[in-house]
């Protein structure tokens, strides 16, 4: 039995050999363009012939620069519904607004939600805090345009995974500290929260699985430069740095039990609860990073997806 077979759920371990060379393990900055080429799907790959509209809008992001958001809604959407604000993954250094966005198309159809996905700018070309500020600008635009978009402004949920999960957590902190927009909940899947990379799981999962400690350090250094790991990092850029987690909306966090982000996610959830907040945490035993997207056919991924869907169903029924 190999080391990876011992570390990971058997169904997931069986998938890993086929992923070699296609997922960022021990990624260096000079490999970034290659991985970017694998992580930026076209619009048609997401929308296909589904009964939804996908409309682009150009808005003002950080420092007034132009960025693009896409609004996805059912073709027959005609009354205010929930809003889902999506931030794509990719370690804040790769991916585009359609990467990993399949759930928001499903939620547009299932919940008659209006979903907005933002093309925030990537590091290292656009270092922090550009990405999180772009994301907050998109959230503000979504809230201010709620009436014209057919969104109930009291039912906006922010959703992100991996780098997008960390950005969602940072954006939620910005929304709290800047007095809005109001969020009904935050859904964080295997979020990237801590630039310091010093937890036991960060050291345990280096050179194995999907998105290991080395790749994570490469991404954080691209985002933060010389500030990475030091005292000059804001909680909006790396939410694990937040000293006050009071006043956050209901939160869902899940993470693989066999990935570098495991311990920072557990700690973040525990601190939300200790601050009097509401947080549902799932740690999926033997699961590597992004397993629910990479191997959705496996039993552990199916359990993960069901838990996520059940939480969102319950949240949206509150209003």
């Amino acid at each position: 039995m190999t080391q990876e077979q011992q570390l990971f759920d058997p169904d997931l371990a069986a998938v890993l050999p086929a992923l070699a060379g296609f997922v960022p393990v021990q990624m260096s900055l000079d490999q970034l363009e290659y991985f970017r080429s694998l992580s930026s799907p076209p619009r048609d790959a997401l929308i296909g012939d589904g009964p939804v509209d996908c409309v682009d809008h150009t808005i003002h992001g950080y420092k007034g620069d132009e960025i693009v958001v896409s609004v996805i809604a059912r073709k027959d959407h005609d009354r205010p519904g929930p809003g889902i604000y999506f931030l794509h993954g990719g370690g804040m250094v790769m991916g585009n607004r359609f990467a990993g966005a399949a759930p928001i198309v499903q939620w547009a159809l299932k919940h008659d939600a209006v979903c907005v996905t933002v093309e925030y700018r990537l590091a290292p070309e656009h270092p922090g805090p550009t990405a999180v500020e772009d994301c907050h600008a998109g959230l503000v635009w979504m809230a201010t345009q709620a009436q014209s978009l057919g969104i109930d402004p009291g039912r906006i949920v922010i959703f992100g995974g991996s780098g997008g999960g960390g950005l969602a957590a940072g954006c939620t902190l910005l929304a709290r500290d800047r007095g809005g927009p109001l969020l009904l909940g935050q859904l964080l899947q295997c979020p990237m929260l801590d630039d310091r990379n010093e937890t036991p799981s960060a050291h345990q999962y280096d050179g194995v699985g999907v998105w290991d400690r080395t790749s994570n350090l490469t991404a954080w250094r691209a985002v933060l430069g010389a500030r990475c790991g030091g005292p000059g990092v804001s909680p909006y850029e790396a939410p694990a740095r937040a000293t006050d987690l009071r006043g956050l909306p209901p939160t869902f966090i899940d993470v693989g039990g066999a990935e570098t982000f495991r311990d920072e996610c557990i700690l973040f959830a525990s601190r939300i609860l200790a601050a009097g907040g509401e947080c549902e945490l799932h740690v999926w035993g033997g699961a590597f990073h992004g397993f629910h997207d990479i191997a959705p056919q496996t039993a552990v991924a199916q359990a993960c997806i069901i838990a996520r869907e059940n939480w969102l169903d319950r949240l949206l029924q509150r209003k």
Side-chain angles (χ1 to χ4, degrees):
M1 182 177 289
T2 67
Q3 179 190 20
E4 291 196 349
Q5 287 173 324
Q6 293 174 332
L7 288 172
F8 300 110
D9 172 273
D11 289 342
L12 294 175
V15 172
L16 279 172
L19 299 177
F22 296 97
V23 293
V25 178
Q26 297 194 308
M27 181 184 74
S28 58
L29 201 59
D30 61 5
Q31 296 172 302
L32 183 55
E33 287 307 315
Y34 167 72
F35 285 111
R36 282 181 173 177
S37 73
L38 301 178
S39 62
S40 299
R43 177 192 309 264
D44 288 348
L46 175 66
I47 304 299
D49 58 359
V52 296
D53 291 318
C54 180
V55 180
D56 292 345
H57 299 263
T58 300
I59 68 169
H60 293 295
Y62 183 46
K63 295 186 176 179
D65 295 334
E66 291 186 346
I67 59 173
V68 175
V69 298
S70 293
V71 179
I72 297 170
R74 277 184 1 193
K75 289 183 179 293
D76 63 352
H77 181 76
D78 62 0
R79 67 190 65 187
I84 310 291
Y85 185 55
F86 175 64
L87 310 178
H88 71 80
M92 296 178 275
V93 295
M94 66 183 78
N96 67 5
R97 66 188 182 279
F98 303 120
I104 65 175
V105 175
Q106 297 164 11
W107 295 335
L109 296 171
K110 178 181 178 181
H111 298 293
D112 197 16
V114 176
C115 303
V116 177
T117 179
V118 59
E119 196 73 44
Y120 61 84
R121 287 169 288 174
L122 303 175
E125 295 88 346
H126 302 281
T130 302
V132 71
E133 291 286 357
D134 280 351
C135 292
H136 184 258
L139 178 63
V140 170
W141 177 87
M142 180 181 183
T144 57
Q145 298 297 315
Q147 183 175 1
S148 64
L149 295 174
I151 295 172
D152 177 350
R155 301 175 72 203
I156 296 176
V157 179
I158 193 167
F159 165 49
S162 190
L167 289 169
C171 196
T172 298
L173 290 168
L174 277 173
R176 179 198 66 181
D177 294 347
R178 294 178 179 175
L182 176 69
L183 291 170
L184 179 63
Q186 60 173 339
L187 199 171
L188 313 177
Q189 292 210 271
C190 51
M192 178 180 173
L193 301 168
D194 195 343
D195 62 297
R196 293 164 292 192
N197 292 282
E198 292 297 343
T199 65
S201 64
H203 288 278
Q204 186 177 6
Y205 296 99
D206 194 9
V208 295
V210 174
W211 194 259
D212 66 337
R213 182 176 189 267
T214 296
S215 297
N216 201 45
L217 281 168
T218 295
W220 274 117
R221 287 167 179 162
V223 173
L224 298 173
R227 294 186 295 131
C228 183
V233 177
S234 86
Y236 311 122
E237 295 173 292
R241 301 294 197 114
T243 57
D244 181 3
L245 293 178
R246 293 174 295 177
L248 300 180
T251 300
F252 177 99
I253 297 175
D254 70 1
V255 67
E259 68 161 298
T260 187
F261 293 153
R262 182 193 66 207
D263 295 342
E264 63 196 62
C265 289
I266 292 171
L267 181 58
F268 196 69
S270 297
R271 292 177 57 225
I272 291 174
L273 293 167
E278 177 185 335
C279 184
E280 180 171 321
L281 170 68
H282 297 266
V283 182
W284 300 102
F288 52 65
H289 182 69
F291 68 101
H292 51 279
D293 284 333
I294 293 170
Q297 75 282 2
T298 59
V300 65
Q302 287 293 305
C304 165
I305 292 166
I306 289 169
R308 178 187 71 191
E309 298 300 310
N310 286 343
W311 179 84
L312 185 61
D313 289 348
R314 296 193 307 273
L315 182 73
L316 294 180
Q317 289 168 7
R318 293 189 180 191
K319 284 199 172 190

